[in-house]
Amino acid sequence: MRAFFRSLSRPGAGGHHHALFRLAECVPFLIALVVLAIELSPAHVIYTGPLLVATPALAAVTMGPKGTLAAALCAVGVSIATATHNHAWGGQQVYTNFLALFLVSTASFMTSRTERTRRQNELNQVRRIAAAAQDVLLRPVPERLGPVRAASMYLAAETGAQIGGDLYEAVETRYGVRMIVGDVRGKGLPAVRAAAVVLGAFREAVHYEDELAEVINHCAAALERDAAAASADDAPGLLEGFVTALVVQVPEGPTVEVVNRGHPPPLLLRNGEVHALYPVSPLPPLGLEEFLDGTSGTTDSYVFERGDRLLLHTDGVIEARDGDNVFFALPEAMAELQDCTLEEFLEGLHAGLMRHTRGRLADDVALIVVDRAEHGDGEAAV
């Protein structure tokens, strides 16, 4: 579904920023090369000392302590080479340049080291906050919920991140076990905010809405209210955004009910074969209610018996590609892991996904897997 709306996404400038940053890192060494070229040419009468002394200070701005030290050593090497080539040893200017280079290099190295420590402390604090936010937003599902055994996993694509734009939850209610999996368009704090809005609405609605379709409609209404508030406050929010999501209900009987709002369908593993539970009437994602054509949502029912395994996932799994641009074969991976426990099943999918992408996820991944169980099979209901 994300591919369907890909044309609506705005291209990011992260690649350009990365290239400019890499170019800035090369500036100190380019200056050293320019100084070397001048000193080895007939134009060596030009005084290049200040340029060479500036290289460690420039390196400290864009690189860490190691980069600053490398730039300083490069500058010293150029100074020695040019002084030897121009027979300048013994002159006061040469030793003055060396002294200035030593002082600037020492100060730049210390500054870079202090700045690196400060940034690391800030990063550690952000990670602690992200971990706390994850405990609130994306809590691991209980091992047993009413008629099912369950397990969950979340993988953030961004390096060092704990949470992103994918969401999941599973709650035991008087109607049965109700679950949600969703994917917010976009990244960063606005995506986390949208995920929090949808999860908050879901956790409230699952306990009092009789109809499963009304649960997801409650989530859509909350998303719309937050977008309106963000627009009024001119704050980063959900403007022009949407959330693909599906809600699932597993009652005591051998069925499962699904309302799908533009999300990849759940996958049912039965006797070694994987079946996609496609919606009878496709519906648009949350945030695009104008395309509902007056309907409030359709609930589809499927057989879900003891021994069956149901996987709810986001498109970060099925759209993951290898170096040859081949998508990850999720149904085949599920079939190979059919005899594993739920935890081993998710770990196996995780390992297969990392092998396929060589450890580089392009999108966040959220997974919930449930097995149909029976009371008295060795585990107490929660």
Side-chain angles (χ1 to χ4, degrees):
M1 179 56 67
R2 174 168 294 182
F4 180 77
F5 291 102
R6 199 176 300 280
S7 61
L8 299 178
S9 301
R10 297 177 179 176
H16 298 290
H17 292 164
H18 182 74
L20 290 175
F21 185 78
R22 289 300 181 188
L23 180 61
E25 289 182 334
C26 297
V27 168
F29 301 99
L30 292 176
I31 291 176
L33 288 176
V34 170
V35 170
L36 182 63
I38 293 175
E39 293 292 340
L40 297 181
S41 71
H44 66 83
V45 294
I46 300 175
Y47 183 47
T48 58
L51 289 176
L52 205 57
V53 169
T55 55
L58 292 174
V61 175
T62 57
M63 294 184 284
K66 292 182 179 180
T68 303
L69 183 60
L73 293 176
C74 179
V76 171
V78 171
S79 295
I80 294 174
T82 56
T84 301
H85 180 268
N86 295 322
H87 307 287
W89 291 107
Q92 182 179 0
Q93 181 177 327
V94 173
Y95 298 111
T96 301
N97 288 343
F98 271 107
L99 178 60
L101 183 58
F102 172 77
L103 293 175
V104 172
S105 297
T106 302
S108 299
F109 178 80
M110 296 303 295
T111 300
S112 177
R113 187 175 179 180
T114 301
E115 181 65 15
R116 186 182 186 91
T117 301
R118 183 186 66 81
R119 291 178 180 176
Q120 185 62 44
N121 291 337
E122 290 180 351
L123 179 59
N124 291 338
Q125 183 179 9
V126 169
R127 286 175 174 171
R128 288 193 295 269
I129 295 173
Q134 185 181 42
D135 290 339
V136 174
L137 290 180
L138 301 174
R139 303 170 296 204
V141 303
E143 295 180 1
R144 180 68 187 263
L145 287 167
V148 302
R149 290 184 294 264
S152 62
M153 177 176 288
Y154 188 91
L155 304 173
E158 187 174 351
T159 303
Q162 299 283 339
I163 54 177
D166 286 9
L167 59 100
Y168 69 84
E169 180 62 290
V171 181
E172 184 178 3
T173 72
R174 55 179 173 162
Y175 308 102
V177 177
R178 286 180 166 179
M179 299 174 285
I180 185 172
V181 169
D183 187 357
V184 182
R185 173 206 170 197
K187 298 182 181 296
L189 291 179
V192 175
R193 171 176 173 169
V197 170
V198 173
L199 283 174
F202 173 80
R203 288 166 178 164
E204 177 186 6
V206 288
H207 293 289
Y208 67 80
E209 291 290 354
D210 295 335
E211 299 296 329
L212 190 61
E214 289 303 317
V215 173
I216 202 164
N217 289 340
H218 190 83
C219 297
L223 200 64
E224 184 178 2
R225 288 193 301 269
D226 189 79
S231 178
D233 297 338
D234 195 23
L238 315 177
L239 303 180
E240 302 179 4
F242 57 84
V243 180
T244 67
L246 61 85
V247 290
V248 175
Q249 179 171 294
V250 182
E252 290 293 339
T255 61
V256 59
E257 299 174 3
V258 181
V259 179
N260 193 329
R261 293 290 298 270
H263 198 78
L267 298 178
L268 180 67
L269 176 60
R270 175 182 295 150
N271 299 325
E273 296 184 359
V274 178
H275 309 274
L277 306 184
Y278 290 105
V280 175
S281 301
L283 300 171
L286 308 181
L288 300 179
E289 272 64 38
E290 60 269 27
F291 298 107
L292 276 175
D293 296 329
T295 62
S296 60
T298 303
T299 301
D300 300 315
S301 183
Y302 309 89
V303 176
F304 184 45
E305 301 175 318
R306 178 170 171 80
D308 291 347
R309 177 166 290 178
L310 185 67
L311 178 68
L312 282 61
H313 62 90
T314 55
D315 59 9
V317 184
I318 57 176
E319 293 187 357
R321 308 184 189 214
D322 62 10
D324 297 324
N325 216 29
V326 176
F327 291 113
F328 179 64
L330 179 57
E332 288 80 354
M334 290 178 59
E336 292 177 359
L337 298 167
Q338 62 175 328
D339 296 326
C340 297
T341 65
L342 294 183
E343 291 73 16
E344 293 171 344
F345 181 83
L346 290 182
E347 289 297 335
L349 291 182
H350 181 199
L353 192 60
M354 292 298 101
R355 286 194 302 269
H356 186 76
T357 61
R358 297 183 179 179
R360 298 179 180 178
L361 292 175
D363 197 3
D364 299 336
V365 170
L367 300 167
I368 293 183
V369 59
V370 294
D371 279 352
R372 167 70 73 176
E374 292 182 359
H375 292 302
D377 62 357
E379 295 185 54
V382 175

